[in-house]
Amino acid sequence: MKSDVDAMQAALALAREAAAAGEAPIGAVVLDGSGDLVGVGRNEREASGDPTAHAEVTALRLAASKLGSWRLDSCTLVVTLEPCTMCAGALVLARVKRLVFGAWNDEMGAVGTLWDVVRDRRLNHRPEVVGGVLAEECGALLQEFFAKQRGSEPKPPIG
């Protein structure tokens, strides 16, 4: 992929697939050091009944399988929503080099909003972080999905 925006567009396509399947519309992609796609994921908690089936975890698992190593130290994780504590911890443990995310997560964000897991100096790895890439588009998708779930009008976009 040529840019963070291109990668976020790919993650947004996965988020839209998740929404169409009745899942929270969050998508993620993992790029290797050359920018090639090595992992994709979207939320699958409802379908799988697995509380860990977040987009980021799914994408990290696929990338590790494809690369033959749990160490993703040359990789970039791109996700449509700021990761929660579980996902932030997973990307730190996977030694992901860069994290790029779209919308900020006011309810569970662990990359600066509520906590800052990925930049905690007590941990042995701290990825580079780029937040707010296509934040309005990512946030609007989430707002629309949850407004439909509640049967109400969307709130102003997250971001």
Side-chain angles (χ1 to χ4, degrees):
M1 306 233 160
K2 293 180 181 178
S3 69
D4 291 344
V5 171
D6 292 335
M8 189 61 73
Q9 291 287 4
L12 274 162
L14 291 161
R16 288 185 192 97
E17 287 178 15
E23 302 278 353
I26 302 168
V29 298
V30 177
L31 309 175
D32 68 11
S34 300
D36 294 328
L37 189 67
V38 293
V40 297
R42 62 180 180 84
N43 270 16
E44 297 178 355
R45 292 188 309 169
E46 300 298 330
S48 68
D50 178 355
T52 69
H54 289 205
E56 301 96 322
V57 171
T58 302
L60 290 171
R61 285 178 179 154
L62 287 173
S65 178
K66 183 168 185 174
L67 296 173
S69 175
W70 63 267
R71 292 180 189 268
L72 303 177
D73 51 7
S74 67
C75 293
T76 297
L77 172 66
V78 181
V79 61
T80 57
L81 182 65
E82 176 187 4
C84 68
T85 53
M86 176 184 70
C87 294
L91 72 96
V92 167
L93 291 172
R95 311 295 196 270
V96 169
K97 183 177 183 176
R98 291 181 74 232
L99 166 66
V100 177
F101 68 89
W104 297 92
N105 185 346
D106 292 338
E107 293 181 5
M108 291 187 271
V111 185
T113 298
L114 298 179
W115 302 279
D116 201 350
V117 172
V118 299
R119 288 179 279 235
D120 190 319
R121 294 195 179 280
R122 295 169 292 182
L123 299 177
N124 65 347
H125 178 74
R126 289 178 293 284
E128 174 189 343
V129 176
V130 178
V133 175
L134 299 180
E136 285 188 32
E137 189 173 347
C138 293
L141 184 60
L142 287 156
Q143 292 291 354
E144 291 167 15
F145 176 82
F146 287 109
K148 285 179 186 174
Q149 296 285 95
R150 291 187 301 271
S152 64
E153 291 295 315
K155 294 179 184 177
I158 298 172

